[in-house]
Amino acid sequence: MGKVYVFDHPLIQHKVSLMRKTDTNVKEFRELAKEVATLMGFEATRDLPLKEVEIETPMCKAKVHMLEGEDIAIGPILRAGLGFVDGMLALVPNAKVGHVGLYRDPETHEPVEYYCKLPVDIEKRKIFVVDPMLATGGSAVAAIDFIKQRGGKDIVFMCLIAAPEGLKVLEEAHPDIDIYIASLDERLNENAYILPGLGDAGDRLYGTK
Ligand code: PRP
Ligand code: URA
């Protein structure tokens, strides 16, 4: 059974609050997204397995711990999930990146797939699916469906802001995954946008509105 982690770290809260502000510009928004991704990623990688290895320090031989494998993938949901990739790669520079292209139909709010390209050995990797927003949950559920259909097994979902409605949908659809959230907001509005939220994450990252 997966767990839900809502971050209470003051640095994460502060940076997400800056991202919410209307007058935070595109450059600042991008930089903040990268910083928050690194801070969240630091905690979300806490359970990566270690192995004991023997090394030589300048002083003596020593048994130390190192990562057991580097079998990690980052799975950004396009477009806005791309804003998380560099911040995660700062922690795990050898991770492979698999892109899942989805957009929400503006009328139905249902996710529409337009691209999916994952590492060939996805079934062996721990996959960090990243997207700033979990609103209705449709996009996250569909992205994780695609990844599972292509063999992905060990999956974690990370987002900046979640609505309780979307969190419930994701937990019900994929009860096996851990979910990391920087802020659990109040609710969705009538257009399925998160309140108070930060607006449209893709537009804010890429300046398209
Ligand atoms: C946003 C966001 C999520 C999705 C969340 O993407 O980045 O992928 O909406 O909404 P949901 O939980 O209701 O599915 P959007 O569809 O606006 O596409 P974009 O990233 O290309 O702007
Ligand atoms: N997608 C966004 O970018 N923002 C929301 O509030 C909801 C969906």
Side-chain angles (χ1 to χ4, degrees), residues 104 133 135 192-194 199-201:
R104 287 203 317 179
M133 310 304 275
Y193 272 78
I194 301 174
D200 187 300

Side-chain angles (χ1 to χ4, degrees), residues 61-111:
K61 287 191 174 172
K63 286 197 170 132
V64 295
H65 291 99
M66 291 185 143
L67 288 177
E68 192 168 77
E70 292 184 348
D71 301 338
I72 291 172
I74 303 165
I77 303 179
L78 306 180
R79 286 175 301 169
L82 288 175
F84 263 52
V85 174
D86 286 349
M88 287 291 290
L89 285 176
L91 293 172
V92 284
N94 289 321
K96 298 208 170 159
V97 181
H99 298 84
V100 181
L102 292 170
Y103 69 88
R104 287 203 317 179
D105 182 284
E107 303 296 324
T108 64
H109 309 134
E110 289 294 318

Side-chain angles (χ1 to χ4, degrees), residues 20 161-165 183-189 194-197:
R20 293 180 188 275
I161 297 182
E165 297 90 327
S183 178
L184 184 58
D185 273 15
E186 281 167 37
R187 64 181 172 90
L188 296 177
N189 74 5
I194 301 174
L195 296 177

Side-chain angles (χ1 to χ4, degrees), residues 169-188:
V169 166
L170 180 56
E171 282 187 286
E172 282 172 6
H174 294 292
D176 53 310
I177 67 161
D178 287 343
I179 302 171
Y180 292 86
I181 301 168
S183 178
L184 184 58
D185 273 15
E186 281 167 37
R187 64 181 172 90
L188 296 177

Side-chain angles (χ1 to χ4, degrees), residues 38-182:
T38 305
L39 291 169
M40 290 180 73
F42 186 70
E43 190 56 30
T45 50
R46 171 180 283 280
D47 293 334
L48 289 180
L50 292 171
K51 63 179 176 195
E52 196 174 77
V53 290
E54 192 169 276
I55 58 156
E56 277 189 42
T57 77
M59 309 305 292
C60 63
K61 287 191 174 172
K63 286 197 170 132
V64 295
H65 291 99
M66 291 185 143
L67 288 177
E68 192 168 77
E70 292 184 348
D71 301 338
I72 291 172
I74 303 165
I77 303 179
L78 306 180
R79 286 175 301 169
L82 288 175
F84 263 52
V85 174
D86 286 349
M88 287 291 290
L89 285 176
L91 293 172
V92 284
N94 289 321
K96 298 208 170 159
V97 181
H99 298 84
V100 181
L102 292 170
Y103 69 88
R104 287 203 317 179
D105 182 284
E107 303 296 324
T108 64
H109 309 134
E110 289 294 318
V112 182
E113 183 196 2
Y114 60 90
Y115 190 74
C116 187
K117 182 88 177 172
L118 302 177
V120 285
D121 55 356
I122 195 70
E123 73 285 351
K124 290 193 215 140
R125 294 182 174 270
K126 184 174 183 90
I127 309 148
F128 293 85
V129 178
V130 293
D131 189 332
M133 310 304 275
L134 180 66
T136 65
S139 302
V141 169
I144 295 166
D145 283 344
F146 294 145
I147 293 169
K148 285 185 174 174
Q149 282 157 16
R150 287 160 176 83
K153 292 180 188 74
D154 187 3
I155 301 171
V156 163
F157 180 77
M158 287 171 58
C159 69
L160 275 184
I161 297 182
E165 297 90 327
L167 177 58
K168 185 164 180 283
V169 166
L170 180 56
E171 282 187 286
E172 282 172 6
H174 294 292
D176 53 310
I177 67 161
D178 287 343
I179 302 171
Y180 292 86
I181 301 168

